[in-house]
Amino acid sequence: MEQNKSKSYGTALYTIITVFFFWGFLAASNGVFIPFCKVHFHLTQFESQLIDFTFYGGYFIGSLILYFASQASKVDIMNKLGYKNGIILGLVISAAGALGMIPAVASGSFGFILAVFFIIAIGFSLQQTAANPFVVALGEPETGSNRLNFAGSINNIGALLGPVVVGVVLFGSATAKIEAKDVQISSVNNLYYMLAGLFLAVALFFWFSKLPKVTSDEKIESSTKANTPLLIMFLAFLLILAADPLSKAVGIPSQYFVYASLAIIVFTLVGTILAAKKSTEGWGAMQYPQLILGMLAIFTYVGTEVTIQSNLGSLLKTPEFGSFQESDIAPYISLYWGSLMIGRFAGSIGAFNLSKSTKNILYIIIPFVAFGIVLLVNASTGVDVSKLYIYAISVALLIVAFFIGKQKPTRTLTVLGIAGVICMLIGLCTHGSVATFAFISGGLCCSIMWPSIFSLSITGLGKYTSQGSAFLIMMILGGSIIPPLQGKIADGANNVIPGMSGLHFSYIVPAIGFAYLAYFAWKVSRELIAQGIDLDHVTASGGH
């Protein structure tokens, strides 16, 4: 990678993380748009969820298109474009998608809406493929996860501010109660005009910014052997979409197609590791075990992060969890996403050139400051946040986990993976507020996993870094497959354990997910050490 390790890239880092903010901001606006579509287009709950399926699937398809286009042209397109230009192009594509939402809503065609969401996701896919390795490359590799944590915390600020800004745009007030039936088409148009304008403004900002070149000019060898597992995973993705039609056609319950899709993806990746070990020729980035393990880890992580909150609202409505009303659920969902910000704020401390003692003090203070921000944002919408104060105990335990992890990526990932398993097991063995906060604590455990997994997975890939990044972004596909898997278990597991609802029991899924992520941290550490790389025993600059 062409980068000067002795040079400070602080300005470049601050420039790049602006796109992370808008990823979080747009995700917040989707929360309003999905119920609007359900009412406006008279959709079932499953049909309305096709927006999320299309959005996460767009990341997968976008990365797949980038890879096969590079294979066909025999040129690594992201390396050819450069990470800076890749981000700009992705922003322009997303802006075009946002503008396309105006005629899509007016057309009355839900299929048109999904096509536009797909375009926005394609742009996001390109942005993420470029931005994540760009951030990792702006400095020493052992501090790459710290920089991604910092970028991720900015993403969460966007997610926290998004609902407030969207409330003002749609209703003229940040505290107005959002009802899908109250959303006017003209207001939705204004929202997407605003988003398109923001995307284009950031693209222009990048165009005029001076950023270092960090891509590789080395010749990329053919990786035709990687085509087969990617195509198999694409078919597994389509299997989810076709689950209900296939179930009706052949008389097999639809959940079995969901299980089959997951099994196909897992066995394909495991088989790829074994095949690449026999001969690395023709595998490209997939010749590196850390990448394949990381692809499965990203798949598991995204699915685990999404599925905990996707089913939380329904869980809180059950008698064993308090029979919550719809209006009382929002603060708990907000706290879950806020937990990601709390952890990422703490995880980003290592990205700054500070003394060890200063960092230790900040590791104690920053998580509680971030928790205060989450409470403040919720209070600004009229929520009684006093019932959330007890969550400070979980925040304190996160701080302990950070000190045990000692700012080392593999060690921290192991600790948080094990902590995630413990939280899910506590939630499964209890009920009421204890179980609720235990499940929400999964957000704290997830918070810094993405940057840790990403930086560990692309370490040592050299000229295959951008290709490996595209493969990792593909595996955001987990957000499309694991939540439906948990949903199917929830529907069919009633009374498996006496006194426990199927929905409650279904949280065994994120428990297994966290267990794999802890295993990944241990396994990838061994693989990197075998290649002469030990990120947990490198003395970094700046007191790290």
Side-chain angles (χ1 to χ4, degrees), residues 244 300 440 469:
D244 283 344
T300 304
I440 292 174
S469 175

Side-chain angles (χ1 to χ4, degrees), residues 160-451:
L160 275 175
L161 292 179
V164 177
V165 175
V166 168
V168 172
V169 173
L170 297 182
F171 303 100
S173 169
T175 58
K177 191 172 181 65
I178 295 176
E179 296 284 351
K181 60 182 176 60
D182 296 330
V183 179
Q184 301 298 315
I185 291 179
S186 60
S187 298
V188 175
N189 289 348
N190 290 337
L191 172 63
Y192 282 95
Y193 276 130
M194 180 185 70
L195 289 172
L198 288 172
F199 289 143
L200 291 175
V202 176
L204 284 173
F205 176 61
F206 268 83
W207 180 266
F208 290 108
S209 298
K210 292 184 178 180
L211 297 175
K213 180 182 179 182
V214 296
T215 52
S216 172
D217 289 328
E218 294 182 70
K219 180 178 173 59
I220 302 295
E221 299 168 8
S222 175
S223 54
T224 53
K225 289 182 180 178
N227 296 352
T228 300
L230 291 175
L231 287 173
I232 292 173
M233 286 190 287
F234 174 65
L235 293 175
F237 166 73
L238 294 180
L239 189 59
I240 292 284
L241 194 60
D244 283 344
L246 285 173
S247 176
K248 293 175 182 177
V250 300
I252 298 175
S254 60
Q255 62 262 35
Y256 290 110
F257 293 104
V258 178
Y259 302 153
S261 178
L262 179 64
I264 289 169
I265 290 172
V266 171
F267 285 117
T268 296
L269 290 172
V270 172
T272 299
I273 293 177
L274 298 175
K277 277 187 176 181
K278 294 179 181 178
S279 174
T280 60
E281 184 180 354
W283 283 105
M286 285 191 178
Q287 69 186 268
Y288 295 95
Q290 64 264 37
L291 177 69
I292 304 298
L293 290 166
M295 288 172 69
L296 187 53
I298 289 289
F299 177 90
T300 304
Y301 159 74
V302 175
T304 298
E305 176 196 273
V306 172
T307 203
I308 290 174
Q309 68 85 31
S310 290
N311 293 280
L312 186 61
S314 297
L315 185 69
L316 292 177
K317 293 180 182 179
T318 62
E320 59 189 321
F321 278 79
S323 300
F324 279 63
Q325 297 298 312
E326 193 76 39
S327 58
D328 298 324
I329 292 171
Y332 294 93
I333 302 296
S334 173
L335 181 60
Y336 176 78
W337 289 117
S339 296
L340 295 171
M341 186 191 73
I342 293 169
R344 286 170 183 170
F345 266 141
S348 66
I349 292 170
F352 299 95
N353 189 15
L354 303 169
S355 67
K356 185 176 180 180
S357 59
T358 300
K359 286 182 178 180
N360 287 340
I361 293 171
L362 289 176
Y363 271 120
I364 296 173
I365 296 174
I366 292 297
F368 286 110
V369 171
F371 180 45
I373 293 173
V374 174
L375 295 177
L376 184 62
V377 170
N378 275 281
S380 71
T381 63
V383 171
D384 176 13
V385 296
S386 61
K387 55 192 173 185
L388 306 180
Y389 291 163
I390 191 68
Y391 195 64
I393 295 174
S394 294
V395 176
L397 292 175
L398 173 73
I399 295 171
V400 173
F402 268 92
F403 277 104
I404 295 174
K406 296 183 177 179
Q407 306 173 39
K408 306 296 185 181
T410 52
R411 184 167 180 168
T412 299
L413 189 57
T414 301
V415 171
L416 291 180
I418 293 172
V421 173
I422 293 172
C423 288
M424 295 304 105
L425 291 178
I426 291 173
L428 284 165
C429 294
T430 59
H431 53 81
S433 59
V434 173
T436 298
F437 286 118
F439 287 142
I440 292 174
S441 296
L444 294 172
C445 299
C446 283
S447 60
I448 66 164
M449 284 186 165
W450 170 280

